[in-house]
Amino acid sequence: MIRAIVPALVAAAGYALLELAFFVPRNHLLPWSGQHVPLALLFFVVHGAVALFAAAAGWLLARVALPSLTGTLPAFASVGILVALQAVSFYRERVYSRPRDLVGTAVSLGIVLGIAGLALLVAHRFRRRDRLGGTIATILALLIVGAGVGRVFTAKPIGMAEAVPLRPEADRLNAAETGQRVLLFGFDGATWEVLDPMLAQGRLPNLAALAARGRTFDLETFRPTFSPVVWTSVSTGKNRFDHGIHDVVQTTLPGGVVLPRSMERAVFYTKTVGAPLRALAKRRGFPLAPYRSDQVRVISVFEAASEAGIPTTQIGWYVSWPARPLSGVTISDRFHLQVHEREGIAGVVSPQALASPLRGHVVTKEDVTLDRVREFVDAEDLSPEAWERWADRHEGFVEEMRFNLARDLSTRNVAVDLLARDSDWRLFGVYFRAVDLTHHLTWPLRDATGDPAQNEDLRLRPVIGRYHEFMDHVVGDVLANVSEDAVVVMLSDHGFEDRFAHARAPDGFAILAGGAISTSTRSRRRSPPSSACPSRKTWRRRRGSICCGRRFSRLTRFEPFPRGSGRVAGPLRETRSTTRRFVPRRSSASGRWATSGRRTASPQRRSAPAFDRRSVPSHRFDSLTLPVPPSPLRRCSSLRGPIRSGWRRRRAASRRD
């Protein structure tokens, strides 16, 4: 047992370095500093405890069932358990990440049993040479240490930020005078899947009027779809590696290292460290803090417009506290947290002189009564006593609705006031939060069927629709203070879908109206990555004919590009006209079909498809080249002939001989 301690601790040190080399770059904690030493010690303690536990379990197993392996099994068990943990973690988090799945569980169990069996075999091999077996286990542990050291020295940041040169302070931005006003309206989590049916039913008149005088779009987003990340990208035009906002909150780790995300979303090398740290984070063992506006590393469109002398106002935008000074007014995302009777939070409004007058627009959670929440729930048939009992049983939903409804009401009040107070604004941005919250709370119940008397959760079915109706009134209140010649850009950061919520980055929505924006009669549609992308049916035919490529004559039975793609004029087809074309010809010497051919003006009985040089200008015709894009299709490695497959051609040649 004593001999197993050394390889166990050495292997634990190696895996601590591997964990550190993986954890630090993946969580954007480079460059290395002395603050990472406590983190490495924490990883070493966790891995060391696991390795020593495995060594003790191996020693106990040998004493009880395998006496001949008492001297070697503990050493190999300590190394084997760390290898097994790494293999299972790699498989479950990077190969097969579906949680609580039978296949993944079975494969993980097979990995553990396989490595355990290998450790038993090696221990049995050196059962009569305990000292040599311990030395080999130590050498394996040293190899792990070497791999860890190599990973530490070769660690590189994930997603390098752009190298943006510093602009001299004297070099200020200038704006060309257009007289145009722009209102940027943020609608968190809104999706056409909800909006389209409600617009068709006439339940959203203000949104319908806005869409009728403009254009609608499906807005693509990106992962991760955390609201602070996406909305900061909307305002800056940069991704998270450039603007520096990676999550909703930051976590302070031992040693003072600030993890730029929550512990639940941190990336670990193995679950050996991830599981206890996440369990500790659930008990608030690590301090959490939201992102601050001074942590945004790039300039936003509001700051750029303000610097250029354009009157600009920003209300409620994510990661806007402390409020940065603009040429107009900045209302930070902590404005709704103020209380009327107390001193306001510092830095929520810029200029500070407006903090006290605008504080009267704040709606607190206590101002939102239970009867106001009841308006969004199917509770018309409940008595006041029954409603209070229902609200007590659904306290989490009621509290979330009260808090976020108060936030959106506060934003509505201050936006209407500032629009009415300042008639000289040119860029105005406002953000509303709670639509996404209603999706998270009640999306699975949106289309549920049943009797609410039997299942009281079904009373939450109308929440999403009724909150959209409430937001439609908010849109009307805001747009009532905006002239029709102003450009209105209304958008969401992502959509929503069954089972996955917005984890797979579903499309959001966007409406562009007003000003010089012309209306469109075309149906809304998300544009594909390439206008020449074929349909699924065409792709199957193309894949079966070109990539398998057994008969060249099959090319005459499909259109290689969809009509109207601009790549070819029409489908390839055989013709008996005198169009100049390439004809594959068979060599009399080799008996093979050549890839280049003679030109002929006479019709051929069996020929390749006719090609018009002018219809495919991007392809050369020095050989028989098909108008096939380089990707995603594979090019045929050889041309077997237009009529016969390989074995038929060889059989015909043998008969002639």
Side-chain angles (χ1 to χ4, degrees):
M1 178 62 187
I2 302 299
R3 295 176 182 173
I5 295 178
V6 174
L9 295 180
V10 173
Y15 267 96
L17 292 175
L18 287 173
E19 186 83 53
L20 189 69
F22 182 88
F23 180 83
V24 171
R26 292 300 179 101
N27 294 282
H28 321 293
L29 299 177
L30 287 177
W32 297 107
S33 67
Q35 291 181 329
H36 295 103
V37 175
L39 197 59
L41 294 176
L42 176 63
F43 292 164
F44 171 72
V45 169
V46 175
H47 284 295
V50 172
L52 292 177
F53 175 80
W59 178 80
L60 183 61
L61 176 63
R63 286 291 301 270
V64 174
L66 303 170
S68 61
L69 304 182
T70 305
T72 55
L73 184 58
F76 288 105
S78 61
V79 178
I81 188 63
L82 294 177
V83 175
L85 287 172
Q86 192 276 336
V88 171
S89 299
F90 182 87
Y91 171 73
R92 292 311 300 262
E93 296 187 6
R94 299 166 187 83
V95 178
Y96 193 88
S97 58
R98 186 177 300 173
R100 295 180 295 276
D101 182 76
L102 181 60
V103 175
T105 303
V107 174
S108 300
L109 183 60
I111 292 173
V112 173
L113 293 178
I115 295 177
L118 182 61
L120 283 173
L121 288 177
V122 176
H124 183 269
R125 174 67 178 81
F126 295 98
R127 66 187 184 280
R128 297 179 180 176
R129 291 179 286 182
D130 298 352
R131 185 169 299 177
L132 179 59
T135 303
I136 292 178
T138 305
I139 292 174
L140 293 176
L142 287 173
L143 291 177
I144 298 175
V145 172
V149 172
R151 290 287 298 273
V152 167
F153 280 100
T154 58
K156 295 181 180 180
I158 304 298
M160 294 290 291
E162 294 181 356
V164 181
L166 296 177
R167 184 164 48 89
E169 294 184 2
D171 184 15
R172 296 183 58 84
L173 296 174
N174 297 315
E177 179 59 42
T178 63
Q180 187 68 68
R181 298 170 183 260
V182 177
L183 172 66
L184 187 59
F185 199 113
F187 223 148
D188 200 305
T191 173
W192 288 116
E193 187 174 348
V194 176
L195 294 173
D196 276 337
M198 297 187 68
L199 289 170
Q201 297 167 11
R203 298 171 60 185
L204 306 175
N206 293 304
L207 281 173
L210 181 66
R213 59 188 183 96
R215 295 172 177 263
T216 60
F217 305 89
D218 286 323
L219 192 63
E220 294 186 52
T221 186
F222 52 83
R223 285 189 269 187
T225 52
F226 306 141
S227 292
V229 179
V230 181
W231 287 111
T232 305
S233 294
V234 169
S235 64
T236 62
K238 301 290 185 179
N239 61 36
R240 62 190 179 99
F241 300 108
D242 294 329
H243 60 58
I245 308 301
H246 297 276
D247 204 331
V248 180
V249 295
Q250 306 169 91
T251 307
T252 303
L253 300 176
V257 177
V258 178
L259 180 69
R261 56 184 55 172
S262 64
M263 189 61 69
E264 289 77 10
R265 291 189 276 263
V267 183
F268 292 96
Y269 190 54
T270 65
K271 293 183 178 180
T272 315
V273 173
L277 290 186
R278 285 168 180 161
L280 185 60
K282 290 182 179 179
R283 293 172 174 81
R284 300 189 178 183
F286 301 107
L288 299 177
Y291 278 95
R292 297 167 52 96
S293 61
D294 50 17
Q295 292 177 287
V296 180
R297 297 197 293 252
V298 293
I299 191 173
S300 69
V301 63
F302 303 105
E303 295 169 317
S306 179
E307 181 180 329
I310 299 174
T312 303
T313 295
Q314 176 187 10
I315 301 177
W317 215 263
Y318 257 117
V319 197
S320 57
W321 179 85
R324 292 187 177 184
L326 298 176
S327 55
V329 181
T330 302
I331 308 295
S332 75
D333 54 349
R334 293 195 181 186
F335 176 77
H336 64 287
L337 299 178
Q338 300 181 101
V339 181
H340 303 297
E341 297 80 9
R342 302 177 188 173
E343 187 67 24
I345 303 174
V348 296
V349 177
S350 177
Q352 186 64 31
L354 290 176
S356 181
L358 294 178
R359 196 181 307 156
H361 295 306
V362 175
V363 179
T364 64
K365 185 178 71 172
E366 290 72 19
D367 297 332
V368 180
T369 63
L370 279 178
D371 291 336
R372 188 63 189 271
V373 177
R374 186 174 183 173
E375 298 174 3
F376 300 97
V377 181
D378 183 10
E380 291 80 2
D381 59 333
L382 294 179
S383 64
E385 295 77 12
W387 161 246
E388 290 183 2
R389 290 194 299 269
W390 187 94
D392 291 339
R393 290 191 295 270
H394 297 78
E395 182 180 2
F397 165 79
V398 172
E399 292 301 309
E400 287 284 353
M401 284 295 295
R402 292 176 64 188
F403 179 81
N404 286 276
L405 182 58
R407 175 174 181 169
D408 281 355
L409 286 172
S410 302
T411 304
R412 192 266 319 257
N413 294 343
V414 71
V416 171
D417 184 18
L418 291 179
L419 285 171
R421 180 181 304 189
D422 182 14
S423 60
D424 296 330
W425 66 270
R426 302 292 296 281
L427 176 61
F428 197 101
V430 60
Y431 164 81
F432 292 90
R433 170 77 183 99
V435 168
D436 186 52
L437 171 84
T438 61
H439 290 168
H440 281 285
L441 293 178
T442 65
W443 185 272
L445 301 171
R446 185 171 59 99
D447 298 322
T449 58
D451 185 6
Q454 303 297 328
N455 183 2
E456 61 181 13
D457 289 341
L458 295 179
R459 297 191 182 277
L460 299 174
R461 285 180 297 190
V463 169
I464 292 178
R466 292 181 181 180
Y467 201 88
H468 277 76
E469 292 175 345
F470 162 75
M471 285 304 303
D472 185 74
H473 290 296
V474 171
V475 171
D477 294 340
V478 173
L479 295 185
N481 296 274
V482 178
S483 59
E484 290 193 358
D485 61 341
V487 174
V488 179
V489 182
M490 184 176 292
L491 72 159
S492 63
D493 53 343
H494 55 72
F496 215 86
E497 59 183 351
D498 296 334
R499 184 180 178 184
F500 299 101
H502 52 77
R504 301 194 303 179
D507 289 349
F509 93 109
I511 299 176
L512 186 61
I517 306 301
S518 60
T519 60
S520 175
T521 58
R522 298 177 59 185
S523 59
R524 184 182 68 253
R525 179 184 172 189
R526 184 188 185 197
S527 301
S530 171
S531 61
C533 182
S535 65
R536 184 171 297 180
K537 183 177 180 181
T538 306
W539 160 251
R540 285 199 298 264
R541 296 199 334 237
R542 189 188 302 186
R543 180 178 56 187
S545 299
I546 292 185
C547 296
C548 295
R550 294 301 180 186
R551 291 174 181 261
F552 187 81
S553 59
R554 291 185 184 180
L555 292 176
T556 64
R557 293 199 291 270
F558 78 99
E559 183 179 357
F561 297 97
R563 294 179 184 271
S565 63
R567 298 295 298 273
V568 294
L572 298 178
R573 52 185 176 271
E574 294 186 4
T575 177
R576 298 188 64 82
S577 65
T578 57
T579 304
R580 293 173 64 87
R581 57 190 171 185
F582 290 99
V583 181
R585 54 190 177 86
R586 186 169 176 272
S587 172
S588 58
S590 62
R592 297 182 177 180
W593 291 88
T595 57
S596 61
R598 55 186 173 82
R599 298 181 184 271
T600 178
S602 60
Q604 301 291 324
R605 180 183 178 188
R606 291 174 174 173
S607 64
F611 297 94
D612 187 351
R613 183 189 299 269
R614 295 169 297 177
S615 65
V616 194
S618 60
H619 291 273
R620 298 176 57 196
F621 281 84
D622 54 348
S623 62
L624 186 59
T625 305
L626 302 179
V628 180
S631 176
L633 302 180
R634 296 180 289 107
R635 291 187 180 276
C636 299
S637 58
S638 62
L639 185 63
R640 293 183 177 272
I643 305 173
R644 297 166 177 163
S645 58
W647 68 274
R648 289 182 177 177
R649 187 175 66 250
R650 290 191 296 271
R651 185 178 63 180
S654 63
R655 288 178 179 177
R656 285 194 299 269
D657 295 338

